[in-house]
Amino acid sequence: MTSTTAQAGLEAVILDYNGVIGVQPTTDQWLRLARTALWPDDDLPAFQNAFWSARSAYDAGQLSDLAYWAQVLGHHPGARRLRELHDADTDMWTSTDDRVVEILHHAHASGLPLVLLSNAPRHLSDVLDRHPWRRLMTHAFYSARLQVCKPDPAAYQHAMNATGATDPDRLLFVDDRADNCQAARLLGLRALHYTGRPADLAAALQSPN
């Protein structure tokens, strides 16, 4: 362990993907997905509500691609439409924040173990595993593979166990959702509610508190 990580008192960092490493989808990406679903352009909020209504079960691996999109659309899409939805959905979640990735490169180079803990469906998990930044992670846990989503304590326990840390207070959890951070704190972890400021992440990796 280097002086930087020793000063921080951290044994490892557990990171969310979307909203931390990955950037949120643009309106254009949402519109592309809605149009692929043949949803009216002027009713994007209703499409987003339908999209999220079954997403937790999909992220937890409880629904197949077909079953998920059938719930969103209210009918089974054909095989071609399903492939197009799958591709447009994946595209929405694969852009990353280069500033955050650079910070993680420095943390990785310092010897600080990084663990990914993401709510993500299986198809997206497979795509993310092929990205270059994924090599910075000593372990990656996705809800569809675990069959449990944050903020369920069982999801955190998988990541905590992988770090080998005996004291959860020596682990930092980073997520853009306040409820996920609160769940981590209840398990004894430090938590950073990430709000899109890379400087906050850099500071948290260096803070002795």
Side-chain angles (χ1 to χ4, degrees):
M1 183 176 291
T2 68
S3 59
T4 299
T5 56
Q7 179 190 22
L10 294 177
E11 292 188 23
V13 181
I14 301 171
L15 297 127
D16 177 39
Y17 170 70
N18 186 53
V20 180
I21 302 171
V23 299
Q24 299 288 3
T26 64
T27 299
D28 285 345
Q29 287 174 312
W30 275 111
L31 286 170
R32 176 194 170 200
L33 182 61
R35 289 165 184 157
T36 302
L38 304 181
W39 206 277
D41 279 359
D42 60 355
D43 203 12
L44 182 59
F47 172 74
Q48 291 172 319
N49 287 337
F51 177 93
W52 290 118
S53 65
R55 196 69 177 191
S56 291
Y58 188 37
D59 283 349
Q62 298 167 4
L63 295 176
S64 66
D65 293 346
L66 178 59
Y68 169 70
W69 282 107
Q71 288 200 27
V72 173
L73 302 177
H75 60 83
H76 281 193
R80 178 179 175 182
R81 181 76 56 194
L82 182 61
R83 288 194 300 272
E84 292 172 345
L85 289 166
H86 178 284
D87 291 345
D89 184 12
T90 301
D91 179 67
M92 293 211 309
W93 310 107
T94 52
S95 297
T96 56
D97 188 331
D98 291 341
R99 301 168 301 171
V100 171
V101 172
E102 182 179 0
I103 292 169
L104 298 183
H105 269 286
H106 288 299
H108 176 74
S110 79
L112 182 62
L114 306 174
V115 175
L116 187 72
L117 180 61
S118 173
N119 287 351
R122 188 169 296 275
H123 72 84
L124 180 58
S125 306
D126 294 340
V127 171
L128 295 180
D129 270 346
R130 296 194 292 270
H131 277 234
W133 60 263
R134 168 63 180 82
R135 293 194 292 270
L136 301 174
M137 306 292 156
T138 57
H139 300 278
F141 296 97
Y142 302 98
S143 56
R145 299 176 187 173
L146 298 175
Q147 297 196 316
V148 63
C149 290
K150 296 173 294 183
D152 190 306
Y156 299 85
Q157 199 62 56
H158 284 281
M160 293 166 66
N161 291 346
T163 68
T166 57
D167 182 357
D169 187 52
R170 294 179 68 84
L171 299 174
L172 174 66
F173 174 75
V174 183
D175 200 292
D176 68 318
R177 286 180 47 172
D179 57 338
N180 289 343
C181 290
Q182 178 60 21
R185 292 188 185 102
L186 291 174
L187 293 171
L189 286 78
R190 309 183 199 184
L192 170 64
H193 178 206
Y194 185 74
T195 57
R197 291 167 47 92
D200 293 344
L201 176 60
L205 297 183
Q206 298 174 4
S207 171
N209 299 316

